Amino acid sequence: MVEPPHVLREHLPPHIPHAQLHTVPGVGHLLPLEAPHALAAELRSLSARPAADCRLSKLRP
């Protein structure tokens, strides 16, 4: 079972430092096939973030 975006947005990001949840309207579970340009744009945005924002060492149990 996959939870709807509003449930994920409420429950996941508070537990993951620097987490962001992005949705693509009208797209299902096959994002790379259904919206490759939107996915590529999000990945470019993520890779452009400073390394300090992406460091796993900042995670706390």
Side-chain angles (χ1 to χ4, degrees):
M1 179 173 165
V2 176
E3 300 293 345
H6 73 275
V7 172
L8 296 174
R9 190 177 311 279
E10 180 180 339
H11 293 284
L12 290 180
H15 303 286
I16 305 170
H18 308 289
Q20 297 178 5
L21 178 65
H22 297 264
T23 58
V24 179
V27 176
H29 297 164
L30 296 175
L31 183 61
L33 297 176
E34 296 178 53
H37 297 292
L39 176 58
E42 288 298 330
L43 291 174
R44 277 192 299 275
S45 174
L46 176 64
S47 68
R49 289 170 50 187
D53 287 350
C54 301
R55 243 184 248 143
L56 292 177
S57 62
K58 291 188 152 206
L59 295 177
R60 303 259 186 247

